[in-house]
Amino acid sequence: MNGLINYVSCGALWLGLVVKAPDLVRHRHDPYLRAICAVLGLAGVCFFLGAEPTVAAVNHLSGIPNLAAPLTYASITAYSAASQVLIVYWRGGPQVHRVTRRWIVAYAFVLLGIAVTFALGDAPVERRTDLDTYYATTPFIAEMIVLYLVGHLAAVSVTSVSALRWAREVRGWLRAGLVVLGFGALCNAGYSVSKLAAVVARWAGLDWSGLSTTFSPAAAGLAALMTVVGILIPLVGPRTTRWRRARRDFARLAPLQRELDEFLTRRALRLPRPRWSSPVTRLVWRQTSIHNALGSLDAFFDPNLYERTLEAATLEAADPERAEATAWAAVIAAAAVEERDRDSSLLPPGAAERFQDRAPAPGTLVDIADALAASPLVAAARVRAGTTSTGTA
């Protein structure tokens, strides 16, 4: 079980990094994307280096007792800086680059301080899990421990306050992501506060090492999960919404496509159905097939039928958009029947006078499909068209 929490947390963070990697490759000069990937990558490095098996391996391979400690502290400091940069870029504003440079410079000094204090200190006894409390009273090593913990606490505190304050000003997926990220930063604060409490207790002659070895890793693990979720929600959420809407519209368009199926097949107008594709791609395929059919069927559209149905639907529904959709549904259904029953090489009588320059607006297709499936006016238009075309054929 040693290091399990660390490795699981590292895996969750790096999984989030893998999700964002394709976007970073396509937009490698986007500072916002670079900041997101830096936060996810460095947070994973923190957990990986802090795992007890990794600590043992680093110390053994380097031949320097406790070298893993300053490396872990340095990664935590770099993660803290990246978190601040992410919040700054996320929020934006005229001073973005100046503020980010200040954070980077400040934490560069913290990194330098960690390296210098470790070099000046003396930590000959390897401590894999409780170095913070074991060396809490050792000159320079104690300063190194306090320096990284204070730097981490300052970063996560600012991140939490900024995220939660900003969450009150926005809505939707961004707000949800900021709330989760803010509470994740609070959990991260629990990590540094518990470590600092254990160190201060050691100064007072007390042994609170359990806080440092048990509570703080659990708080950090929860913070890692919430950090991943908080960052990914505003990125994945809108895409999820688009896919859900696309699936819904794809299903609602089915009656309209069924109405035009025979015409699409006979005229070879249907595009090959995409396989293993996203809901948005499938929706575009269905919409394109429908538009192909309507573009070839427009010579059979009857403007008189449109006006009569529009008037009747307006009286029935008192909703202009719904009435328009019903009128178009009646025209399309009647045109499909007339085209099918008439000699396809002949245009209908009066075709030149029909409104071939008009077509349903793309945004009304779903409403037209609903009307096709439900409106009795459409059924009546379909029956009349069948009777008329049979009598004149």
Side-chain angles (χ1 to χ4, degrees):
M1 294 293 290
N2 288 341
L4 179 60
I5 291 178
N6 289 66
Y7 291 134
V8 170
S9 301
C10 174
L13 288 158
W14 283 351
L15 179 61
L17 180 60
V18 169
V19 171
K20 290 308 300 170
D23 291 337
L24 181 63
V25 171
R26 288 192 297 267
H27 309 285
R28 60 178 61 89
H29 300 298
D30 185 341
Y32 170 63
L33 277 175
R34 290 205 300 265
I36 289 176
C37 293
V39 168
L40 295 173
L42 288 170
V45 170
C46 296
F47 283 102
F48 181 77
L49 290 177
E52 185 177 344
T54 306
V55 170
V58 170
N59 293 339
H60 173 73
L61 292 173
S62 66
I64 302 175
N66 300 308
L67 177 63
L71 293 180
T72 303
Y73 300 163
S75 66
I76 291 174
T77 301
Y79 160 75
S80 301
S83 298
Q84 294 308 304
V85 171
L86 174 61
I87 289 294
V88 172
Y89 276 122
W90 210 344
R91 183 140 198 167
Q95 304 294 324
V96 168
H97 297 296
R98 180 179 298 178
V99 175
T100 55
R101 281 196 297 269
R102 288 176 180 173
W103 280 112
I104 291 172
V105 169
Y107 277 92
F109 279 109
V110 176
L111 286 172
L112 180 62
I114 290 172
V116 170
T117 51
F118 181 76
L120 294 175
D122 184 24
V125 180
E126 182 186 39
R127 308 301 298 184
R128 298 181 181 178
T129 59
D130 63 346
L131 184 141
D132 297 333
T133 51
Y134 187 86
Y135 286 107
T137 57
T138 302
F140 295 109
I141 302 298
E143 283 78 3
M144 177 187 71
I145 294 168
V146 172
L147 181 61
Y148 102 84
L149 287 175
V150 170
H152 178 261
L153 180 59
V156 296
S157 299
V158 172
T159 300
S160 179
V161 171
S162 299
L164 294 177
R165 180 181 296 169
W166 187 19
R168 293 183 299 181
E169 303 173 10
V170 296
R171 294 291 182 269
W173 290 109
L174 179 57
R175 181 178 189 177
L178 287 169
V179 169
V180 174
L181 186 64
F183 281 105
L186 282 179
C187 292
N188 247 332
Y191 166 86
S192 49
V193 167
S194 60
K195 289 271 190 181
L196 280 170
V199 168
V200 172
R202 180 72 176 82
W203 294 345
L206 303 175
D207 182 12
W208 288 7
S209 58
L211 279 176
S212 177
T213 58
T214 303
F215 178 80
S216 60
L222 179 59
L225 177 61
M226 296 183 75
T227 297
V228 173
V229 173
I231 289 176
L232 292 182
I233 280 177
L235 304 172
V236 177
R239 182 180 302 175
T240 303
T241 299
R242 287 196 300 271
W243 284 8
R244 185 171 64 246
R245 289 174 179 171
R247 282 194 295 267
R248 180 195 62 194
D249 290 349
F250 180 84
R252 290 177 63 187
L253 282 173
L256 181 53
Q257 186 179 26
R258 283 197 299 268
E259 189 73 31
L260 301 169
D261 261 340
E262 184 181 347
F263 181 73
L264 284 165
T265 303
R266 184 159 21 87
R267 297 290 184 93
L269 295 172
R270 194 194 313 276
L271 297 175
R273 181 169 184 147
R275 298 184 181 276
W276 308 105
S277 55
S278 70
V280 174
T281 301
R282 292 197 299 271
L283 174 62
V284 170
W285 167 79
R286 178 161 281 180
Q287 289 173 330
T288 303
S289 296
I290 290 171
H291 281 299
N292 288 345
L294 296 181
S296 298
L297 196 61
D298 60 359
F300 293 86
F301 289 169
D302 186 347
N304 293 326
L305 174 61
Y306 177 89
E307 297 298 337
R308 291 196 307 271
T309 308
L310 180 62
E311 182 179 355
T314 302
L315 293 174
E316 181 180 288
D319 182 346
E321 292 183 358
R322 184 176 175 184
E324 182 183 5
T326 302
W328 272 117
V331 167
I332 292 170
V337 172
E338 187 176 357
E339 191 278 339
R340 181 194 63 202
D341 294 341
R342 187 180 299 277
D343 185 340
S344 60
S345 64
L346 299 177
L347 290 177
E353 301 175 359
R354 299 197 176 195
F355 54 159
Q356 298 181 33
D357 58 333
R358 289 189 57 183
T364 65
L365 292 182
V366 171
D367 293 330
I368 291 171
D370 291 341
L372 274 170
S375 175
L377 295 173
V378 176
R382 188 184 292 115
V383 171
R384 284 196 301 271
T387 303
T388 302
S389 60
T390 301
T392 60

